[in-house]
């Protein structure tokens, strides 16, 4: 058994956020946990962001999610499998 974590880095968060959100919604059934992090306070919002996803389901579904995210400009992803 293993835990799968998808790490998403957006370097153009303001322009990529809508497409990333669409991909996350499309694959929402395999997302167990989601954590979003970006440096920003009020009007000093960073244009970089980091999202961590704990995903469940078949490896093919995770690969499809990662492919959809990589199609978004300014987005890099990496899936990490942690054996239990």
């Amino acid at each position: 058994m293993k835990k799968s974590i998808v790490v998403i880095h957006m370097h153009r968060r303001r322009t990529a956020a809508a497409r990333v959100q669409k991909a996350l919604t499309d694959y929402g059934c395999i997302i167990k946990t989601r954590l979003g992090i970006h440096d920003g306070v009020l009007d000093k919002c960073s244009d970089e962001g980091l999202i961590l996803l704990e995903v469940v389901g078949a490896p093919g579904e995770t690969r499809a999610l990662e492919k959809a995210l990589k199609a978004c400009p300014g987005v890099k992803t990496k899936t990490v499998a942690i054996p239990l």
Side-chain angles (χ1 to χ4, degrees):
M1 187 162 190
K2 65 181 176 182
K3 289 279 187 188
S4 293
I5 307 295
V6 178
V7 180
I8 306 162
H9 180 255
M10 294 187 286
H11 3 246
R12 290 182 279 185
R13 189 178 61 80
R14 292 180 197 134
T15 57
R19 285 186 67 183
V20 168
Q21 183 57 49
K22 168 95 171 76
L24 296 178
T25 299
D26 290 347
Y27 292 91
C29 289
I30 67 167
I31 298 171
K32 183 176 177 185
T33 307
R34 173 180 170 175
L35 173 64
I37 304 167
H38 74 90
D39 293 329
V41 178
L42 301 174
D43 63 338
K44 298 183 188 209
C45 213
S46 170
D47 205 25
E48 288 196 34
L50 185 67
I51 300 173
L52 306 175
L53 305 174
E54 177 188 5
V55 293
V56 296
E61 292 175 302
T62 301
R63 284 192 298 274
L65 168 59
E66 194 169 5
K67 182 178 179 181
L69 291 166
K70 286 181 178 180
C72 302
V75 174
K76 293 183 181 181
T77 68
K78 174 86 173 168
T79 299
V80 178
I82 303 168
L84 298 178

